[in-house]
Amino acid sequence: MAGAAAAVSRRAATLLLSSRCRRPTNPISPLIPTVRAMNRRFLCSSSVSASTAEPTEAAGQLGDTVKEFRKRLRIEELKGGPDEGLSWVGKGLTVRGWVRTCRVQSSVTFIEVNDGSCLSNMQCVMTSDVEGYDQIESGAVTTGASVLIDGTVVPSQGAKQKIELKVTQLVVIGRSDPTSYPIQKKRVTREFLRSIAHLRPRTNTFSAVTRVRNALAYATHKFFQENGFVWVSSPIITASDCEGAGEQFCVTTMIQNDNFTVSKIPATKDGKIDWSQDFFGKPAFLTVSGQLNGETYACALSDIYTFGPTFRAENSNTSRHLAEFWMIEPELAFADLNDDMACATAYLQYVVKYVLENCKEDMEFFNTWIEKGIINRLNDVVEKSFVQLSYSDAIDLLIKSKKKFEFPVKWGLDLQSEHERYITEQAFGGSPVIIRDYPKEIKAFYMRQNDDAKTVAAMDLLVPRVGELIGGSQREERLDYLEARLEELNLNKEIYWWYLDLRRFGSVPHAGFGLGFERLVQFATGIDNIRDVIPFPRTPGSADF
């Protein structure tokens, strides 16, 4: 067993799934064979460096050179091709992953191993004469255990997969106590899984959500980069409130630990907190949006986008709210509200199409187990034309529907989720809908005032099941209008001095929107609670993990 442990140590730096290829007869074959040199395994899943120069004498005296980084070959790549892995038959592989199930039968043992790259497991078939079978007999190969398995790919005798691995060696890397491991082959509630958020990625649902989330993030960067946008990192700590709602987390160093007493907080003569003695010398907060900072770069680089964490200290325990979440916020210079709506539409169709094309297995899983018909719903977003109508027309539509809503409908009131879903799901048959020109009293100070002096050039993009997914506007580029609006809302103009400077020095019409990334993940997966589409949810009273 000591030799096996040493083998595990030597292999720890290699890939999750590596090929143990035989030596090719053609010396220029693109499949590079596995060679054993210095007791290290090199992988045939990536190309060999063009440079094979020997290390200098000095380098040899000082230490070894760093090995070449190689892309990992995953189960998804092995089984996800058009032939579902049949081209690998006869080749040797090393699988590293976590045991999903282990079924011991009279003459053979079946071990299902998953490496997280896809929903599919690698079925490993093992007989009692194989090296490491004593680990089966001792009960070490249980659900949740991590293993290394060597074997040869063979056609599967079962109907669920085309290939399986005939095991030649098994090594248990990390044991898992079957009496206390909380994820077994049975259904558990998502509420329970939130209490073990460190382990829930090992379930089918949460591994699929994570892969789709990753694909949406990649597609987001891909869309904006392909369209000439520059990614800008907006600050997490800020001294201004973008939304003006005051629901911000305070950042301070004046409270150091749990034993700190209120009497130690510096105060002014009139009993108020003396912020001049704090780290930043003024009140500072976690940002609710990167938009204002993004505007500064749009007024220099033309088109930019931010993609980062934002925070709201809103005491809400609904399935739609988080205290920490991610926002995507593009900003377009020399643009109006029509340009903004066009960009939002193109972006949403692009990322949805990307997920449908690149996460097929996961989307089939969601279509079967989470929301029947989700693939058709997402295809509608990609294929159907988006509808736009004014806020006033939307209010008229809701009133004329004669539907009894929980929240009464009246011009001047903000639309609720039930109103937004009725518009998209019933009034327009599942098509996304953009509502524009909202009353200025229910919108933020930075939105451009329309000529009627009652509405602003704002838009919300609504989608079925979720309601509002994107909110945006044309920004107020006129200095006098912006100053008047700040005064009207009793906002301190001195705090926004730098924001006003954008209107003083080369002001341009510009527009942008914000998209809560977790709501996008909800929309794409059918998951009904926003706490289940972020790795570690932060909500009132909950900041575990």
Side-chain angles (χ1 to χ4, degrees):
M1 291 307 296
V8 173
S9 176
R10 289 195 299 270
R11 292 163 178 154
T14 60
L15 309 186
L16 288 179
L17 180 62
S18 62
S19 175
R20 197 173 70 253
C21 300
R22 297 183 176 88
R23 181 173 299 175
T25 56
N26 183 352
I28 60 172
S29 170
L31 286 178
I32 308 302
T34 296
V35 293
R36 294 183 180 272
M38 306 273 306
N39 289 326
R40 296 181 183 178
R41 173 169 292 167
F42 294 85
L43 309 181
C44 71
S45 58
S46 60
S47 61
V48 171
S49 171
S51 173
T52 58
E54 294 294 327
T56 64
E57 183 178 348
Q61 293 173 350
L62 293 174
D64 293 336
T65 57
V66 176
K67 74 171 189 176
E68 181 184 353
F69 177 75
R70 308 283 180 93
K71 177 179 178 287
R72 298 184 180 187
L73 180 64
R74 312 274 185 153
I75 291 176
E76 188 277 330
E77 296 174 78
L78 182 68
K79 299 179 67 176
D83 65 352
E84 299 180 45
L86 287 175
S87 59
W88 288 85
V89 170
K91 296 179 181 178
L93 291 175
T94 298
V95 176
R96 293 170 178 81
W98 293 267
V99 174
R100 287 294 178 88
T101 61
C102 179
R103 294 178 288 120
V104 180
Q105 298 183 358
S106 57
S107 59
V108 69
T109 295
F110 295 94
I111 308 170
E112 296 280 340
V113 178
N114 188 279
D115 66 1
S117 64
C118 59
L119 284 171
S120 298
N121 304 320
M122 175 59 72
Q123 178 167 280
C124 304
V125 184
M126 187 174 186
T127 54
S128 59
D129 58 341
V130 168
E131 179 183 350
Y133 189 78
D134 57 317
Q135 297 292 293
I136 299 288
E137 294 176 316
S138 68
V141 184
T142 58
T143 300
S146 58
V147 294
L148 177 152
I149 297 179
D150 281 336
T152 302
V153 178
V154 297
S156 178
Q157 301 301 309
K160 292 183 178 180
Q161 61 277 318
K162 295 290 182 65
I163 60 170
E164 58 193 22
L165 196 66
K166 184 179 180 182
V167 180
T168 57
Q169 182 189 30
L170 164 71
V171 178
V172 175
I173 298 174
R175 291 184 175 232
S176 177
D177 183 358
T179 62
S180 59
Y181 184 61
I183 301 176
Q184 298 293 332
K185 195 175 181 180
K186 61 181 180 179
R187 289 209 170 196
V188 293
T189 66
R190 291 182 207 157
E191 288 79 10
F192 168 73
L193 290 174
R194 285 178 213 137
S195 70
I196 54 167
H198 60 304
L199 294 174
R200 69 179 183 172
R202 300 192 190 185
T203 66
N204 284 340
T205 297
F206 286 94
S207 64
V209 166
T210 304
R211 285 186 293 269
V212 169
R213 182 185 174 101
N214 171 70
L216 287 168
Y218 177 77
T220 293
H221 285 291
K222 197 168 186 287
F223 171 82
F224 287 117
Q225 293 292 327
E226 288 177 354
N227 284 282
F229 286 69
V230 177
W231 178 56
V232 172
S233 302
S234 55
I236 291 175
I237 299 174
T238 180
S240 58
D241 182 359
C242 177
E243 300 299 327
E247 296 167 340
Q248 294 178 283
F249 289 101
C250 184
V251 176
T252 180
T253 58
M254 292 193 291
I255 302 174
Q256 295 292 340
N257 52 55
D258 292 343
N259 298 322
F260 195 83
T261 60
V262 175
S263 61
K264 293 182 180 180
I265 298 177
T268 60
K269 291 181 180 180
D270 56 1
K272 295 182 179 179
I273 295 175
D274 186 0
W275 292 106
S276 66
Q277 296 190 48
D278 203 4
F279 186 89
F280 294 105
K282 63 174 71 174
F285 310 93
L286 295 181
T287 187
V288 298
S289 169
Q291 177 205 312
L292 301 189
N293 299 101
E295 285 187 52
T296 66
Y297 274 77
C299 290
L301 304 179
S302 292
D303 294 334
I304 66 94
Y305 70 105
T306 72
F307 189 177
T310 53
F311 308 84
R312 299 279 171 92
E314 182 179 1
N315 190 17
S316 174
N317 281 288
T318 74
S319 62
R320 292 167 51 86
H321 294 91
L322 291 167
E324 177 187 72
F325 54 99
W326 285 64
M327 286 283 288
I328 299 163
E329 297 176 288
E331 201 71 30
L332 299 79
F334 306 100
D336 60 15
L337 187 63
N338 291 320
D339 298 314
D340 200 30
M341 293 189 294
C343 180
T345 299
Y347 164 77
L348 183 58
Q349 290 181 318
Y350 183 96
V351 296
V352 169
K353 183 179 180 182
Y354 183 88
V355 164
L356 289 172
E357 292 178 348
N358 292 277
C359 301
K360 291 182 179 180
E361 184 186 34
D362 291 325
M363 292 312 303
E364 288 291 347
F365 171 81
F366 293 126
N367 198 63
T368 301
W369 298 104
I370 305 299
E371 180 195 339
K372 302 288 185 182
I374 187 174
I375 293 177
N376 291 334
R377 174 167 64 77
L378 294 178
N379 274 320
D380 284 346
V381 172
V382 175
E383 298 169 0
K384 289 185 176 180
S385 298
F386 286 27
V387 178
Q388 63 156 309
L389 69 160
S390 70
Y391 168 87
S392 297
D393 288 341
I395 292 296
D396 288 343
L397 184 154
L398 292 168
I399 292 174
K400 291 177 180 176
S401 71
K402 305 297 184 182
K403 181 176 175 62
K404 188 175 182 180
F405 295 104
E406 180 182 352
F407 294 92
V409 178
K410 178 182 176 182
W411 199 97
L413 298 179
D414 205 357
L415 297 180
Q416 301 297 318
S417 178
E418 60 174 339
H419 306 143
E420 295 167 344
R421 292 189 59 178
Y422 173 82
I423 291 171
T424 59
E425 295 171 13
Q426 298 184 45
F428 289 96
S431 294
V433 177
I434 297 178
I435 298 179
R436 57 179 294 167
D437 301 325
Y438 281 79
K440 72 174 186 178
E441 304 304 328
I442 62 173
K443 290 297 182 180
F445 71 91
Y446 51 76
M447 297 186 177
R448 193 182 200 276
Q449 183 173 296
N450 289 329
D451 293 340
D452 61 11
K454 296 191 306 180
T455 62
V456 290
M459 67 91 176
D460 285 344
L461 193 158
L462 317 179
V463 293
R465 278 184 56 89
V466 173
E468 179 195 343
L469 184 62
I470 294 175
S473 72
Q474 183 175 342
R475 316 312 188 188
E476 184 57 82
E477 85 281 9
R478 299 165 294 185
L479 178 61
D480 53 343
Y481 278 77
L482 186 55
E483 288 182 322
R485 186 66 174 146
L486 287 171
E487 290 177 0
E488 186 180 339
L489 295 173
N490 294 317
L491 296 175
N492 188 349
K493 287 195 292 184
E494 293 182 3
I495 294 177
Y496 298 96
W497 65 270
W498 55 273
Y499 189 67
L500 294 171
D501 268 1
L502 299 179
R503 279 72 182 169
R504 295 188 180 101
F505 309 124
S507 183
V508 298
H510 57 289
F513 62 82
L515 175 141
F517 188 55
E518 281 69 34
R519 288 194 182 180
L520 176 62
V521 181
Q522 276 189 282
F523 177 65
T525 61
I527 299 292
D528 56 6
N529 195 312
I530 199 167
R531 303 178 191 197
D532 297 327
V533 294
I534 191 169
F536 300 100
R538 300 292 184 249
T539 55
S542 177
D544 297 328
F545 309 101

PDB file of all heavy atoms in Angstrom, residues 168-185:
ATOM      1  N   THR A 168      -7.869  -1.937 -14.357  1.00  0.00           N
ATOM      2  CA  THR A 168      -6.635  -2.693 -14.120  1.00  0.00           C
ATOM      3  C   THR A 168      -5.989  -2.311 -12.787  1.00  0.00           C
ATOM      4  O   THR A 168      -5.141  -3.037 -12.283  1.00  0.00           O
ATOM      5  CB  THR A 168      -5.619  -2.449 -15.256  1.00  0.00           C
ATOM      6  OG1 THR A 168      -5.365  -1.039 -15.368  1.00  0.00           O
ATOM      7  CG2 THR A 168      -6.149  -2.978 -16.575  1.00  0.00           C
ATOM      8  N   GLN A 169      -6.380  -1.173 -12.228  1.00  0.00           N
ATOM      9  CA  GLN A 169      -5.853  -0.759 -10.926  1.00  0.00           C
ATOM     10  C   GLN A 169      -6.817   0.233 -10.292  1.00  0.00           C
ATOM     11  O   GLN A 169      -7.366   1.110 -10.964  1.00  0.00           O
ATOM     12  CB  GLN A 169      -4.475  -0.113 -11.055  1.00  0.00           C
ATOM     13  CG  GLN A 169      -3.877   0.299  -9.709  1.00  0.00           C
ATOM     14  CD  GLN A 169      -2.617   1.136  -9.847  1.00  0.00           C
ATOM     15  OE1 GLN A 169      -2.468   1.866 -10.813  1.00  0.00           O
ATOM     16  NE2 GLN A 169      -1.709   1.015  -8.887  1.00  0.00           N
ATOM     17  N   LEU A 170      -7.006   0.119  -8.982  1.00  0.00           N
ATOM     18  CA  LEU A 170      -7.837   1.050  -8.216  1.00  0.00           C
ATOM     19  C   LEU A 170      -7.061   1.559  -7.015  1.00  0.00           C
ATOM     20  O   LEU A 170      -6.440   0.766  -6.288  1.00  0.00           O
ATOM     21  CB  LEU A 170      -9.115   0.345  -7.734  1.00  0.00           C
ATOM     22  CG  LEU A 170      -9.904   1.036  -6.614  1.00  0.00           C
ATOM     23  CD1 LEU A 170     -10.579   2.306  -7.142  1.00  0.00           C
ATOM     24  CD2 LEU A 170     -10.940   0.101  -6.015  1.00  0.00           C
ATOM     25  N   VAL A 171      -7.075   2.897  -6.830  1.00  0.00           N
ATOM     26  CA  VAL A 171      -6.466   3.499  -5.653  1.00  0.00           C
ATOM     27  C   VAL A 171      -7.470   4.464  -5.038  1.00  0.00           C
ATOM     28  O   VAL A 171      -7.997   5.334  -5.732  1.00  0.00           O
ATOM     29  CB  VAL A 171      -5.167   4.257  -6.002  1.00  0.00           C
ATOM     30  CG1 VAL A 171      -4.581   4.930  -4.744  1.00  0.00           C
ATOM     31  CG2 VAL A 171      -4.141   3.316  -6.616  1.00  0.00           C
ATOM     32  N   VAL A 172      -7.750   4.288  -3.763  1.00  0.00           N
ATOM     33  CA  VAL A 172      -8.602   5.240  -3.057  1.00  0.00           C
ATOM     34  C   VAL A 172      -7.735   6.406  -2.592  1.00  0.00           C
ATOM     35  O   VAL A 172      -6.759   6.211  -1.861  1.00  0.00           O
ATOM     36  CB  VAL A 172      -9.308   4.582  -1.849  1.00  0.00           C
ATOM     37  CG1 VAL A 172     -10.082   5.637  -1.055  1.00  0.00           C
ATOM     38  CG2 VAL A 172     -10.248   3.492  -2.323  1.00  0.00           C
ATOM     39  N   ILE A 173      -8.069   7.605  -3.023  1.00  0.00           N
ATOM     40  CA  ILE A 173      -7.291   8.792  -2.659  1.00  0.00           C
ATOM     41  C   ILE A 173      -7.804   9.390  -1.350  1.00  0.00           C
ATOM     42  O   ILE A 173      -7.040   9.687  -0.438  1.00  0.00           O
ATOM     43  CB  ILE A 173      -7.349   9.844  -3.787  1.00  0.00           C
ATOM     44  CG1 ILE A 173      -6.726   9.262  -5.066  1.00  0.00           C
ATOM     45  CG2 ILE A 173      -6.630  11.123  -3.381  1.00  0.00           C
ATOM     46  CD1 ILE A 173      -6.864  10.162  -6.281  1.00  0.00           C
ATOM     47  N   GLY A 174      -9.123   9.580  -1.269  1.00  0.00           N
ATOM     48  CA  GLY A 174      -9.718  10.149  -0.065  1.00  0.00           C
ATOM     49  C   GLY A 174     -10.974   9.392   0.311  1.00  0.00           C
ATOM     50  O   GLY A 174     -11.894   9.232  -0.497  1.00  0.00           O
ATOM     51  N   ARG A 175     -11.026   8.894   1.524  1.00  0.00           N
ATOM     52  CA  ARG A 175     -12.184   8.118   1.968  1.00  0.00           C
ATOM     53  C   ARG A 175     -13.371   9.017   2.282  1.00  0.00           C
ATOM     54  O   ARG A 175     -13.214  10.231   2.509  1.00  0.00           O
ATOM     55  CB  ARG A 175     -11.826   7.296   3.201  1.00  0.00           C
ATOM     56  CG  ARG A 175     -10.848   6.164   2.928  1.00  0.00           C
ATOM     57  CD  ARG A 175     -10.623   5.335   4.174  1.00  0.00           C
ATOM     58  NE  ARG A 175      -9.775   4.171   3.889  1.00  0.00           N
ATOM     59  CZ  ARG A 175     -10.076   2.926   4.208  1.00  0.00           C
ATOM     60  NH1 ARG A 175     -11.225   2.662   4.814  1.00  0.00           N
ATOM     61  NH2 ARG A 175      -9.252   1.934   3.931  1.00  0.00           N
ATOM     62  N   SER A 176     -14.554   8.440   2.328  1.00  0.00           N
ATOM     63  CA  SER A 176     -15.787   9.141   2.684  1.00  0.00           C
ATOM     64  C   SER A 176     -16.614   8.224   3.580  1.00  0.00           C
ATOM     65  O   SER A 176     -17.012   7.132   3.169  1.00  0.00           O
ATOM     66  CB  SER A 176     -16.585   9.509   1.425  1.00  0.00           C
ATOM     67  OG  SER A 176     -17.804  10.127   1.746  1.00  0.00           O
ATOM     68  N   ASP A 177     -16.856   8.683   4.794  1.00  0.00           N
ATOM     69  CA  ASP A 177     -17.597   7.870   5.765  1.00  0.00           C
ATOM     70  C   ASP A 177     -19.053   7.725   5.317  1.00  0.00           C
ATOM     71  O   ASP A 177     -19.797   8.710   5.276  1.00  0.00           O
ATOM     72  CB  ASP A 177     -17.544   8.548   7.138  1.00  0.00           C
ATOM     73  CG  ASP A 177     -18.249   7.713   8.213  1.00  0.00           C
ATOM     74  OD1 ASP A 177     -18.797   6.649   7.882  1.00  0.00           O
ATOM     75  OD2 ASP A 177     -18.266   8.153   9.373  1.00  0.00           O
ATOM     76  N   PRO A 178     -19.487   6.534   4.965  1.00  0.00           N
ATOM     77  CA  PRO A 178     -20.851   6.349   4.446  1.00  0.00           C
ATOM     78  C   PRO A 178     -21.934   6.614   5.481  1.00  0.00           C
ATOM     79  O   PRO A 178     -23.085   6.882   5.134  1.00  0.00           O
ATOM     80  CB  PRO A 178     -20.866   4.890   3.988  1.00  0.00           C
ATOM     81  CG  PRO A 178     -19.814   4.218   4.814  1.00  0.00           C
ATOM     82  CD  PRO A 178     -18.741   5.253   5.027  1.00  0.00           C
ATOM     83  N   THR A 179     -21.577   6.571   6.765  1.00  0.00           N
ATOM     84  CA  THR A 179     -22.589   6.788   7.804  1.00  0.00           C
ATOM     85  C   THR A 179     -22.871   8.271   8.033  1.00  0.00           C
ATOM     86  O   THR A 179     -23.909   8.626   8.591  1.00  0.00           O
ATOM     87  CB  THR A 179     -22.149   6.161   9.137  1.00  0.00           C
ATOM     88  OG1 THR A 179     -20.935   6.797   9.590  1.00  0.00           O
ATOM     89  CG2 THR A 179     -21.900   4.668   8.965  1.00  0.00           C
ATOM     90  N   SER A 180     -21.954   9.138   7.611  1.00  0.00           N
ATOM     91  CA  SER A 180     -22.155  10.565   7.848  1.00  0.00           C
ATOM     92  C   SER A 180     -22.170  11.409   6.574  1.00  0.00           C
ATOM     93  O   SER A 180     -22.550  12.578   6.624  1.00  0.00           O
ATOM     94  CB  SER A 180     -21.060  11.102   8.787  1.00  0.00           C
ATOM     95  OG  SER A 180     -19.769  10.890   8.231  1.00  0.00           O
ATOM     96  N   TYR A 181     -21.758  10.835   5.440  1.00  0.00           N
ATOM     97  CA  TYR A 181     -21.779  11.603   4.187  1.00  0.00           C
ATOM     98  C   TYR A 181     -23.223  11.947   3.842  1.00  0.00           C
ATOM     99  O   TYR A 181     -24.070  11.060   3.677  1.00  0.00           O
ATOM    100  CB  TYR A 181     -21.140  10.797   3.058  1.00  0.00           C
ATOM    101  CG  TYR A 181     -21.026  11.554   1.751  1.00  0.00           C
ATOM    102  CD1 TYR A 181     -20.284  12.724   1.666  1.00  0.00           C
ATOM    103  CD2 TYR A 181     -21.656  11.093   0.601  1.00  0.00           C
ATOM    104  CE1 TYR A 181     -20.165  13.409   0.469  1.00  0.00           C
ATOM    105  CE2 TYR A 181     -21.547  11.769  -0.600  1.00  0.00           C
ATOM    106  CZ  TYR A 181     -20.798  12.934  -0.660  1.00  0.00           C
ATOM    107  OH  TYR A 181     -20.694  13.631  -1.843  1.00  0.00           O
ATOM    108  N   PRO A 182     -23.562  13.244   3.725  1.00  0.00           N
ATOM    109  CA  PRO A 182     -24.973  13.640   3.637  1.00  0.00           C
ATOM    110  C   PRO A 182     -25.609  13.507   2.262  1.00  0.00           C
ATOM    111  O   PRO A 182     -26.811  13.706   2.133  1.00  0.00           O
ATOM    112  CB  PRO A 182     -24.939  15.108   4.070  1.00  0.00           C
ATOM    113  CG  PRO A 182     -23.586  15.585   3.677  1.00  0.00           C
ATOM    114  CD  PRO A 182     -22.662  14.421   3.838  1.00  0.00           C
ATOM    115  N   ILE A 183     -24.835  13.204   1.243  1.00  0.00           N
ATOM    116  CA  ILE A 183     -25.397  13.113  -0.111  1.00  0.00           C
ATOM    117  C   ILE A 183     -25.351  11.670  -0.569  1.00  0.00           C
ATOM    118  O   ILE A 183     -24.291  11.159  -0.948  1.00  0.00           O
ATOM    119  CB  ILE A 183     -24.636  14.018  -1.090  1.00  0.00           C
ATOM    120  CG1 ILE A 183     -24.696  15.477  -0.632  1.00  0.00           C
ATOM    121  CG2 ILE A 183     -25.222  13.887  -2.493  1.00  0.00           C
ATOM    122  CD1 ILE A 183     -23.894  16.417  -1.473  1.00  0.00           C
ATOM    123  N   GLN A 184     -26.483  11.023  -0.494  1.00  0.00           N
ATOM    124  CA  GLN A 184     -26.589   9.645  -0.945  1.00  0.00           C
ATOM    125  C   GLN A 184     -27.482   9.585  -2.183  1.00  0.00           C
ATOM    126  O   GLN A 184     -27.996  10.599  -2.641  1.00  0.00           O
ATOM    127  CB  GLN A 184     -27.151   8.777   0.182  1.00  0.00           C
ATOM    128  CG  GLN A 184     -26.268   8.735   1.425  1.00  0.00           C
ATOM    129  CD  GLN A 184     -24.938   8.043   1.193  1.00  0.00           C
ATOM    130  OE1 GLN A 184     -24.821   7.173   0.333  1.00  0.00           O
ATOM    131  NE2 GLN A 184     -23.930   8.426   1.974  1.00  0.00           N
ATOM    132  N   LYS A 185     -27.657   8.385  -2.716  1.00  0.00           N
ATOM    133  CA  LYS A 185     -28.460   8.229  -3.927  1.00  0.00           C
ATOM    134  C   LYS A 185     -29.944   8.239  -3.576  1.00  0.00           C
ATOM    135  O   LYS A 185     -30.648   7.239  -3.676  1.00  0.00           O
ATOM    136  CB  LYS A 185     -28.084   6.942  -4.658  1.00  0.00           C
ATOM    137  CG  LYS A 185     -28.600   6.902  -6.095  1.00  0.00           C
ATOM    138  CD  LYS A 185     -28.120   5.676  -6.842  1.00  0.00           C
ATOM    139  CE  LYS A 185     -28.624   5.687  -8.280  1.00  0.00           C
ATOM    140  NZ  LYS A 185     -28.178   4.494  -9.037  1.00  0.00           N
TER     141      LYS A 185
END
